[in-house]
Every structure is written in C-alpha cells, then in structure tokens.
Amino acid sequence: MNSTPTTEVAIETDVVIVGAGPSGLFQVFELGLLDLSAQVVDSLPQVGGQCTELYPDKPIYDIPALPVCGAQELVDRLVEQIAPFKAGFHLGQTVTGLQQTPSGRFLLETSAGTRFDTATVILAAGLGAFEPRRLRATGAEPWEGSHIHYRVREPERYAGQRLVILGGGDSALDWTLELHGKARRITLVHRRADYRAQPASVSRMKALADGESLEEFHGHVRSVFETDGRFGGLEIVDPTGENHHVEADHVLVFWGLAPNLGPIAHWGLDLDKRQIRVDTEKFQTNVPGIFAVGDINTYSGKKKLILSGFHEAALAAFGVQQHVHPDQKVRLQYTTTSPIMHKRLGLAD
Ligand code: FAD
C-alpha cells in the first residue's frame, strides 16, 4: 500500500479515517459502497494495525466464512477488497490536530504536516498510535535523539562506534547481527536469558558473542552516566544485583511499541477510561460528525473483536452518509444485485 505524497493544500474529502487497522480498512469499503470518499491516516509505516504489527503470522479463526486466516492474510485481503475505492493513504503520520470550522466541517492535521478539510472524521484508532517504549532510566531523557535511539535510520552512522542494544525481540537481534562487524563493539542487553526473537537469530548471536566485538549481557538499566559532561554509557544492574558501567557511544532501544491515545484524548470527546463513547445506531461520538469504530470505542456490551469493528464500520458509513447528505434518502442495496453497487465496485461501466 503506497502512501500519498504530502501536499501544501488541505485535501478535501467526505471522511478522514484515523487508523488503518482492520476496522479502518473495512470502513473504506463500506463508505465506498455509499459513494463517499475517504482518506486514511496511520502512524505506522504500513496498514493492518494490531494484525500486522503484533501478530502477522498467527491464525485467526473467527472471521465469518474464513475458517482460518492468517492475520497478515486478512489485511492483504482487505486491501484487495477496498482497491476499487481508491482511498488516499497517509502512512507514518500521526493525526495531531483537529479543529471544527464554523460551517461544521473539520480541519485535521498530521505530524507530517498533511492537512485535510473533511465533512466527517471516523476514529478507527484502536488502542491509540503505536510508539516505541522509551528508556525511562535516570538521566536518559536529555540524550534521546542524539545518543539514545528507538529506530535505525542511517546504519552507517554506527560504524566504528561502541553500541549498547537493548531488547530481546527480533528487532534487537536483527540489528545486533546487522551491525556486528561494522560497529567497534556491541553489548546486547536483555533482562532475561530467554529471547523472544527467532531461535535462528539467537543461535547466530550466541555463536558471534566473543565478549569483545559482541557481548551478551543480562540485567536492567538503572541510569545513564556521563564522562566529562559527555554521554558515557549505561549503568546496568545484573541479576545478582551488581552494578556495571557499560561504556557506549550510542544506545539502540528495541523494547517494542506501546499504544498511546495521544491528542485524540484532548478533542472534547466523551471518554470512558481510554475508550470513546458512541451510540450503537451510527457509532457517532458526542460530537456530531465524529464517529468511532473498532477497538477505540465503547458502548454497552462492546467486544473488542475484528468482527465487531466490521459491523460498526457498516453502520457508521450510513451515519456518515446521513451527516454529509441530510436531504438524501438512504437506500439499502445488495452488492449481489444492485447495478449502482456493481458500478462503484468497478464491475460495470
Ligand atoms: P487496530 O488494529 O489497533 O488499528 C488501529 C490503528 O490506528 C493502528 O495502526 C494505529 O497505529 C492507528 N492510530 C492510532 N492513533 C492514531 C493517530 N492519532 N494517528 C494515526 N494513526 C493512529 N480479534 C479477533 O477478532 N480474533 C482474533 O483471533 C484476535 N486475535 C488477536 C491476537 C492478538 C495477539 C492480539 C493482540 C489481538 C487479537 N485480536 C483478535 C484483536 C484484534 O486484533 C483487534 O480487535 C483489532 O485489531 C482492532 O482493529 P482496529 O482497526 O479497531 O484497531
């Protein structure tokens, strides 16, 4: 799924969908059937939400008519299903700002500066935007960005450097193996002796760990220390409680991603804990024109299942149509027999 390039001018649309998880993707389909245009924003660089980010290879057994379906396969099928509707995708961007204009439309802005002028907003933001779990050790914050990093943008930057890599999952192990031999020295620090990464990567790392170019270390980070006012490295406590000063030029943290509701929490929406309250007729929030579907919403009896998100997306689409075209009579049409539906699906001229 390609991302649409950022533009200076606000993109006009009927709907901005915040979140490209299964609910947001199926939302494009339901809106498309009603001839409503959609733009989709997601903070992750790819579509699929939790399915792609957290469990792409796991099988799902409770999607109607698919006795078993891989999580990534489900996302791929949804992407194929919504292709006829040509929604715009804006990936790797978090929705940061929302404003309502006097005409009742909404101006939305993303972290990349993309702006939308939209009649309605559908929040399909799941648990919130996924952000890297931060190193909260004493003294860490001022060094974030310069010496403490959460993703590798330019691997060549670490050539000849002393690195500490934190984590026990695939990202930590993959980057350890990738940077081994390029960095001057790598210390891989994981809390426990068992790793979540692929066993083959763990075996390769153990074979390379000679205590010099690569050292495997178990313990937890207590603080960042400085040497002559410069970044010095990490103070790490091993399982026996002993402190170690591990010198480093850079620290790469791969502790996975944690969801954060972020700015959505400050948009004046009726929240119940960290979920958005909606009605069960249109899945509209307390702000007319803003809808919420999928894991992010709550109502009596809510179940956080993909199936629920699909149902909610169908009814929210009708709600949006009523909001955008209050004078039009909404007619339910079957995709099997309706020539209009066939046209919208690209099956007829
Ligand atoms: P999500 O999948 O969470 O997607 C939300 C998207 O919104 C994310 O991509 C996020 O990056 C984006 N986002 C959030 N805030 C912003 C913002 N401000 N700006 C831009 N983007 C934003 N369900 C089932 O029905 N059956 C199962 O078998 C099943 N198995 C599961 C197994 C595991 C291990 C897990 C973790 C979950 C499972 N689930 C299952 C639950 C299912 O994955 C969720 O119900 C589903 O993903 C919810 O879809 P969603 O689209 O509402 O939200």
Side-chain angles (χ1 to χ4, degrees):
M1 176 69 60
N2 290 326
S3 206
T4 310
T6 311
T7 54
E8 289 287 304
V9 201
I11 299 167
E12 267 191 50
T13 182
D14 292 325
V15 189
V16 171
I17 301 171
V18 181
S23 310
L25 292 176
F26 194 61
Q27 188 67 71
V28 170
F29 183 79
E30 289 295 328
L31 291 167
L33 287 183
L34 298 179
D35 205 23
L36 293 160
S37 61
Q39 300 286 325
V40 187
V41 184
D42 202 298
S43 52
L44 291 172
Q46 78 281 327
V47 301
Q50 292 174 52
C51 294
T52 301
E53 192 61 31
L54 301 182
Y55 61 106
D57 303 324
K58 290 212 165 45
I60 306 177
Y61 298 97
D62 56 349
I63 304 297
L66 291 175
V68 57
C69 180
Q72 184 59 50
E73 182 193 347
L74 178 73
V75 171
D76 294 343
R77 284 172 180 265
L78 283 167
V79 168
E80 186 187 338
Q81 190 175 23
I82 66 178
F85 302 116
K86 299 188 173 47
F89 279 84
H90 309 269
L91 303 177
Q93 307 183 26
T94 302
V95 170
T96 47
L98 173 91
Q99 250 185 298
Q100 193 159 21
T101 66
S103 68
R105 288 179 70 86
F106 298 93
L107 296 176
L108 243 105
E109 196 163 343
T110 76
S111 52
T114 312
R115 291 182 301 125
F116 301 95
D117 174 351
T118 182
T120 59
V121 178
I122 299 184
L123 299 170
L127 311 166
F130 287 103
E131 289 173 359
R133 278 182 220 279
R134 309 248 312 268
L135 173 60
R136 303 235 179 250
T138 311
E141 207 180 323
W143 302 105
E144 286 191 334
S146 61
H147 294 264
I148 298 175
H149 315 274
Y150 297 97
R151 55 173 61 114
V152 177
R153 286 215 173 84
E154 303 156 61
E156 47 303 340
R157 176 178 180 185
Y158 303 113
Q161 305 279 303
R162 297 166 306 166
L163 305 182
V164 172
I165 297 183
L166 302 178
D170 283 318
S171 300
L173 270 286
D174 288 353
W175 279 114
T176 299
L177 297 174
E178 173 72 26
L179 295 169
H180 179 258
K182 297 172 187 133
R184 186 158 112 216
R185 177 185 163 82
I186 298 176
T187 309
L188 174 66
V189 181
H190 183 42
R191 263 165 276 196
R192 296 178 302 276
D194 55 322
Y195 290 86
R196 278 173 288 114
Q198 296 288 330
S201 309
V202 178
S203 306
R204 253 187 84 203
M205 179 275 293
K206 285 187 181 287
L208 292 170
D210 53 7
E212 283 299 320
S213 63
L214 173 59
E215 186 181 10
E216 186 191 0
F217 201 93
H218 300 301
H220 68 270
V221 182
R222 172 168 284 167
S223 63
V224 166
F225 68 85
E226 298 181 8
T227 310
D228 301 329
R230 288 187 318 228
F231 185 81
L234 298 182
E235 186 191 0
I236 299 174
V237 185
D238 74 17
T240 68
E242 195 182 331
N243 270 352
H244 299 260
H245 275 68
V246 181
E247 292 184 359
D249 302 305
H250 293 278
V251 176
L252 305 177
V253 187
F254 297 113
W255 283 344
L257 300 166
N260 181 357
L261 204 53
I264 295 173
H266 310 290
W267 289 352
L269 300 170
D270 193 3
L271 296 179
D272 180 357
K273 297 193 184 93
R274 291 168 47 78
Q275 262 92 50
I276 300 169
R277 281 209 190 90
V278 288
D279 64 52
T280 48
E281 183 197 341
K282 303 173 188 165
F283 296 92
Q284 189 165 233
T285 68
N286 59 313
V287 178
I290 302 186
F291 300 75
V293 299
D295 277 14
I296 196 160
N297 74 15
T298 188
Y299 50 87
S300 171
K302 167 75 183 185
K303 298 286 176 283
K304 287 189 187 185
L305 288 170
I306 295 166
L307 179 75
S308 315
F310 288 170
H311 161 76
E312 294 159 14
L315 295 197
F318 285 99
V320 167
Q321 201 198 32
Q322 240 178 58
H323 187 90
V324 177
H325 304 292
D327 305 329
Q328 270 180 23
K329 202 167 177 317
V330 183
R331 284 181 49 221
L332 180 73
Q333 304 197 51
Y334 293 134
T335 55
T336 334
T337 46
S338 158
I340 295 174
M341 293 287 153
H342 290 178
K343 200 166 167 212
R344 289 177 186 161
L345 284 163
L347 303 170
D349 296 331

